[in-house]
Amino acid sequence: MIRVLEVFDSLEISGGVQGVVMNIFRKMDHQKYAVDFAVYDAPLENSYQDEIEKIGGKVLQIQNLSEAGPMAFYKQFQEIFRREHYDAVHAHNIHHNGLILLAAQNAGIPIRISHSHQAFDERNESFVRKLFADGLKKLNNKVATRKVACSDLAAEFLYGKKSAYEFIPNAVNIASFHIPETKYDLRHEYGYQDDKQTILLHIGRFSPQKNQFFFIKMMEKLKEENVILLMAGEGPLKEEFLEAVKIAELEEKIHYIGLRKDIPQLLKMADGMLLPSIYEGLPVVVVEAQAAGCHCLISDVITKQADLQEGMVEYLPIDSEIRWIECIKKLKSVKNLVSIDKIHQKMRDKKFDTETNLEAWYDLYEKRS
């Protein structure tokens, strides 16, 4: 049996990367692969921990680098690797990967995978923190035996412009997007009876990266329009955002709908999915939206690799609400030019489907370089 350790910041259900890895984990051959998870924050509430343990994986609690300090952070992995004897370590923690994989190298673990999922980190804007992060990135390049990224921008951020890497796109479970109900049947089931109303949807963790406060100014300009915005997710800025919605008197226009497990249905009933992020790796929700046949309005800093090139994605600047408003007003008249079946086949061809993506993950755990 091949033993693998996945290393994350958390197992939050609202995390897009966590969702990608869980889709893979569910479909893996658990007779051949034993997969554990080491995470900085492993709350049982709104977490994948219960599901992982039911399938047979272990969840190991570790301290974050900023809390433990470099030496203690490194030593905790030394202890884990001494105790557990893994064949492969798969680190998803951007510049922290360097110390994690150094400990794996010194423990004699032959397969050390660095996986980059984002293209910026606002926590390292100070000179000292940036210098430290850059040092860890250089270390990561030396100790990783496989360097993986979900997009060109994510690869450049962690490995540098000229460094070779393996592209494995963030994939989704296409089968969950085979939904028999029509768009308007779903809307009526959810209680939205006005078929002329434009329903916008945002799914994401409430954090600076996702730029949700952009919606306040945008929806203020759409107060007189028959438009509502549904927002799903959790995160540290949720309460602050909802208070801002209340202060702006936008409760009738912006509806918070919580942490959801019915994302395919929500995307199918929406007229448009909005993502005004300041940075991303390759956002899973953009892939999911296209799988559901939902048009996407997203910030122009997001990689073009997220677009299936079927006329469903519009890239827009986040310094202008006007451009977003113009596109929102046109959503009702936009028609899909291709069938859902064709979109799903294109996703399989590009390995955006978990089933076709799974072989690339198996390859990571079985080959040393």
Side-chain angles (χ1 to χ4, degrees), residues 2 7 10 48 107 109 192 303:
I2 296 172
V7 187
S10 81
Y48 290 114
I109 297 173
Y192 301 101
T303 177

Side-chain angles (χ1 to χ4, degrees), residues 205-218:
R205 190 168 187 268
F206 284 81
S207 65
Q209 171 193 356
K210 300 297 183 181
N211 193 30
Q212 282 102 347
F213 287 88
F214 175 84
F215 294 132
I216 304 289
K217 293 180 182 178
M218 187 190 79

